[in-house]
Amino acid sequence: MDTNLLADLLYPNIKTLPADIEARYPARNLPEGAKVTRFAPSPTGFLHIGNLYGAFTDERLAHTSGGVFYLRIEDTDAKRTVPNGIQIIIETLAKLGVEFDEGAVIDGDNGAYGPYRQSERAEIYQTYAKQLIREGKAYPCFCTEEELAAIRERQEAEKLNPGYYGEFAIWRDAPIESIREKLDAGVPFVLRFRSEGDLNNKHKFRDEIKGEIDVTENDIDHVILKSDGIPTYHFAHAVDDHLMGTTHVIRDESWLSTLPFHIQLFKALGFKMPKYCHTAQVLKLDNGNKRKISKRKDPEAALTYYHSQGYPVAAVREYLMTLLNSNFEEWRLANPDAPIESFKFTTKKMSVSGSLFDLDKLNDVSKNVISRLTADEVYDFTFAWAEENDPQFASVLENDREYAVRILSIGRGGKKPRKDIALWSEVKDYMSFFYDMLFTRETAIPESFSAEDVKAVLADFITSYDENADQNEWFANIKAIAEKNGFCPDMKQYKANPEGFKGSVADVSMFLRVAVTGRMNSPDLYEVMQILGKGQVLQRVNGLL
Ligand code: GLU
């Protein structure tokens, strides 16, 4: 077989040689040990929590080593590509604090190793493919869908391994005349890799996360270029990661099954292999069983969820880090105020079997993160969230920033700050009773108390409330009101003899809390009243008379 002739017959328009391309991609000038990583999504319009897990790993490995983290768009499957897919990727990740040093940007490229959209690299892939043909390592296959289906059926019936190999690889050794005949008739073809692998050959491979793994050689002649000359994932992966100087490929473990083929491709193309980091999948507990987080069943699978719910970016990063590195939590306990970047991220501490994602735990982390912010910071984050997601609330906040900040200051700043906000979307409910236009009575005073007693207590409060009293004086007054109305002012005394009273000072406080806030639970009632102001407080209490 004259493979040079075959190469020209199949790709007559490709005049470039691999050497021409190599010259366009010089080695990167980086310090010793610097890692070059890439995030390589398909622009389908959807980003999964697993994508973020990978992107954080990429970003940390590159940036803790003085390397480069770049974005490559894998848009070789036109059917799965949405028009603003790249924008969605860039913006969604930026909102979660992930920024690229290099790669595709919304309206083009930023960097010297592009184009960074695979759809713009057809000539490059075909140049390398043509070289493989010349070297006898690739050949065209003209099988129709029906023929391939028939092969599959036979393999199923005879319980053989599926795929295009051995006797099923009908075009592998076809004479050039048959090929020419098909080409002359305009029959489309795919380009297949000529595998020399043998299923009996097994060897060890070192994965940076999984450690030493067993790999069985691949014996299938996989497709490398589709009939439109566009590469499959496998071929584009080898060519791009070689040219773009990727040192570490971080990808989901579902790619492990095709690793043997990738090893063959790098060898056949004469490329040095990158290091591989196959990440475990992100799992969740469902009725006590672990399963993969699913785009269909779980809203938290979508990255947009975190932004629309209003999770602080710092909380998502913090929580993801606990999933990514098993020693992170311990480090955080020892370094509560250190920036997350100073943590020594390593693939050695990554889960091998699966990372259990727990929304409750994320919420706890988030509460902690928010509890450490100042009231001004909480205001700013909440306002930014509301502007996008709840414009009416945004205008309420904007109307009187100082008032909102006073509300958000309650219980903040001390040794044990309140931890009752996990999401920016919860702040409205948290603050709503401070605003007449948002105030609703959510709870009534339990009917176990006589309406007359309640009214007497509230009426006494109205006549005695002194806005200028300090917290102790204020509470002394509540106790006095309690005593006067037959409610025990002292909790110890009450517990010793509950039958002797209509209730306790705690019940009196509850009447007032319900009257003023419309709820059973609220931040410190004295401070609430101070912020609301006397007029508002008395109006609310009057509302229950
Ligand atoms: N486009 C592939 C994906 O989204 C990339 C996998 C990789 O990072 O190599 O799964």
Side-chain angles (χ1 to χ4, degrees):
M1 164 81 73
D2 181 346
T3 51
N4 285 318
L5 173 65
L6 178 63
D8 282 335
L9 281 177
L10 295 175
Y11 298 101
N13 298 330
I14 293 297
K15 308 284 186 220
T16 45
L17 291 170
D20 303 321
I21 311 270
E22 299 287 330
R24 290 188 223 155
Y25 293 86
R28 288 171 183 272
N29 186 11
L30 290 170
E32 181 75 23
K35 298 183 172 86
V36 178
T37 61
R38 84 293 192 277
F39 181 54
S42 298
T44 59
F46 182 84
L47 283 159
H48 190 274
I49 182 74
N51 289 130
L52 187 64
Y53 188 91
F56 270 179
T57 309
D58 284 316
E59 190 271 340
R60 285 292 79 206
L61 289 184
H63 290 160
T64 51
S65 65
V68 174
F69 170 44
Y70 72 91
L71 173 64
R72 181 171 73 227
I73 301 297
E74 307 218 321
D75 55 354
T76 54
D77 186 351
K79 284 195 295 290
R80 295 180 63 224
T81 296
V82 300
N84 57 346
I86 298 177
Q87 188 172 348
I88 294 174
I89 289 164
I90 292 174
E91 288 179 359
T92 309
L93 287 176
K95 280 176 186 164
L96 290 163
V98 181
E99 310 236 5
F100 301 96
D101 306 313
E102 179 186 308
V105 292
I106 290 174
D107 51 2
D109 279 344
N110 166 35
Y113 292 81
Y116 296 94
R117 287 163 173 75
Q118 291 184 330
S119 58
E120 294 172 14
R121 301 172 61 79
E123 186 209 19
I124 297 173
Y125 303 122
Q126 290 172 18
T127 300
Y128 284 96
K130 193 165 177 179
Q131 183 61 24
L132 288 184
I133 302 166
R134 286 189 199 101
E135 293 171 6
K137 296 173 181 169
Y139 65 90
C141 164
F142 295 89
C143 278
T144 60
E145 281 301 322
E146 292 72 31
E147 285 172 305
L148 292 174
I151 291 175
R152 262 197 306 276
E153 263 170 45
R154 221 191 99 196
Q155 288 168 335
E156 258 167 47
E158 296 177 21
K159 299 205 163 30
L160 297 169
N161 288 335
Y164 199 88
Y165 62 92
E167 60 175 302
F168 304 105
I170 36 193
W171 284 92
R172 182 174 162 112
D173 294 311
I176 196 136
E177 296 73 34
S178 321
I179 293 174
R180 204 192 271 274
E181 211 175 282
K182 290 283 185 191
L183 288 175
D184 288 346
V187 178
F189 67 90
V190 296
L191 194 70
R192 288 186 182 272
F193 179 72
R194 180 187 296 274
S195 172
E196 304 296 347
D198 183 332
L199 289 181
N200 294 315
N201 292 341
K202 297 180 195 300
H203 51 91
K204 300 278 181 206
F205 185 87
R206 219 197 125 65
D207 182 272
E208 297 299 298
I209 295 174
K210 306 247 172 217
E212 199 153 273
I213 51 176
D214 291 314
V215 172
T216 302
E217 276 184 8
N218 161 58
D219 69 339
I220 295 174
D221 288 358
H222 285 295
V223 174
I224 55 175
L225 290 186
K226 294 180 261 186
S227 56
D228 53 5
I230 296 296
T232 53
Y233 164 79
H234 319 287
F235 193 57
H237 153 50
V239 171
D240 290 348
D241 283 316
H242 161 69
L243 291 175
M244 297 179 184
T246 308
T247 63
H248 288 66
V249 169
I250 291 104
R251 62 182 183 187
D252 185 276
E253 67 185 8
S254 59
W255 293 108
L256 267 176
S257 59
T258 42
L259 177 66
F261 176 38
H262 303 154
I263 297 172
Q264 283 179 310
L265 277 176
F266 275 86
K267 218 183 233 159
L269 288 158
F271 299 160
K272 177 171 182 260
M273 286 202 72
K275 291 201 156 66
Y276 283 88
C277 311
H278 286 95
T279 54
Q281 295 193 319
V282 186
L283 309 172
K284 77 177 269 179
L285 270 185
D286 186 356
N287 278 328
N289 299 318
K290 284 185 193 173
R291 65 159 171 80
K292 245 176 91 171
I293 287 200
S294 133
K295 172 177 168 183
R296 208 165 35 81
K297 294 192 209 148
D298 311 311
E300 72 270 29
L303 285 193
T304 45
Y305 174 82
Y306 301 91
H307 187 65
S308 65
Q309 292 292 305
Y311 279 97
V313 171
V316 177
R317 288 186 77 93
E318 188 84 11
Y319 178 59
L320 228 72
M321 210 50 100
T322 66
L323 281 190
L324 283 168
N325 265 200
S326 53
N327 55 332
F328 178 77
E329 268 182 287
E330 201 184 312
W331 175 85
R332 182 45 96 203
L333 279 175
N335 304 277
D337 299 316
I340 205 164
E341 289 74 24
S342 60
F343 171 70
K344 268 198 142 2
F345 183 85
T346 164
T347 49
K348 308 270 175 306
K349 299 281 185 187
M350 287 180 79
S351 165
V352 172
S353 55
S355 291
L356 197 58
F357 186 87
D358 179 348
L359 216 46
D360 291 336
K361 206 160 169 206
L362 168 61
N363 288 342
D364 283 344
V365 170
S366 199
K367 282 179 185 167
N368 268 319
V369 165
I370 294 179
S371 77
R372 289 201 294 265
L373 300 179
T374 65
D376 273 295
E377 287 169 326
V378 175
Y379 176 92
D380 288 336
F381 280 121
T382 305
F383 180 68
W385 177 86
E387 264 195 311
E388 250 181 74
N389 298 282
D390 188 349
Q392 185 224 10
F393 183 47
S395 72
V396 168
L397 289 172
E398 199 173 22
N399 212 10
D400 192 344
R401 177 184 175 116
E402 204 189 316
Y403 184 64
V405 169
R406 278 186 74 198
I407 298 168
L408 293 169
S409 302
I410 304 178
R412 201 165 282 283
K415 269 222 161 75
K416 284 205 162 166
R418 290 181 70 88
K419 294 185 180 172
D420 34 19
I421 303 172
L423 306 169
W424 307 131
S425 55
E426 290 172 359
V427 176
K428 182 181 187 175
D429 182 56
Y430 178 78
M431 304 172 78
S432 61
F433 65 83
F434 283 98
Y435 297 92
D436 271 348
M437 64 180 295
L438 301 176
F439 174 65
T440 49
R441 292 201 180 274
E442 290 171 10
T443 324
I445 294 169
E447 286 177 6
S448 52
F449 296 97
S450 101
E452 244 167 67
D453 287 339
V454 171
K455 283 190 180 175
V457 163
L458 297 182
D460 280 346
F461 176 79
I462 288 172
T463 50
S464 62
Y465 179 53
D466 174 5
E467 191 177 22
N468 298 316
D470 69 18
Q471 182 139 19
N472 288 334
E473 292 161 351
W474 174 84
F475 194 53
N477 181 41
I478 308 283
K479 281 183 172 174
I481 296 172
E483 186 149 33
K484 178 173 168 220
N485 288 285
F487 290 78
C488 183
D490 181 89
M491 290 312 287
K492 244 198 202 145
Q493 199 187 336
Y494 175 66
K495 278 188 187 135
N497 177 24
E499 306 306 322
F501 303 91
K502 292 178 184 163
S504 73
V505 66
D507 297 316
V508 169
S509 297
M510 181 266 286
F511 300 165
L512 289 168
R513 187 182 306 277
V514 172
V516 172
T517 69
R519 315 171 175 197
M520 282 290 174
N521 297 305
S522 79
D524 184 81
L525 191 56
Y526 171 77
E527 290 195 51
V528 168
M529 289 188 180
Q530 287 289 305
I531 292 172
L532 272 172
K534 183 164 183 175
Q536 193 78 280
V537 169
L538 295 190
Q539 195 185 322
R540 295 264 174 96
V541 177
N542 255 311
L544 286 195
L545 279 186

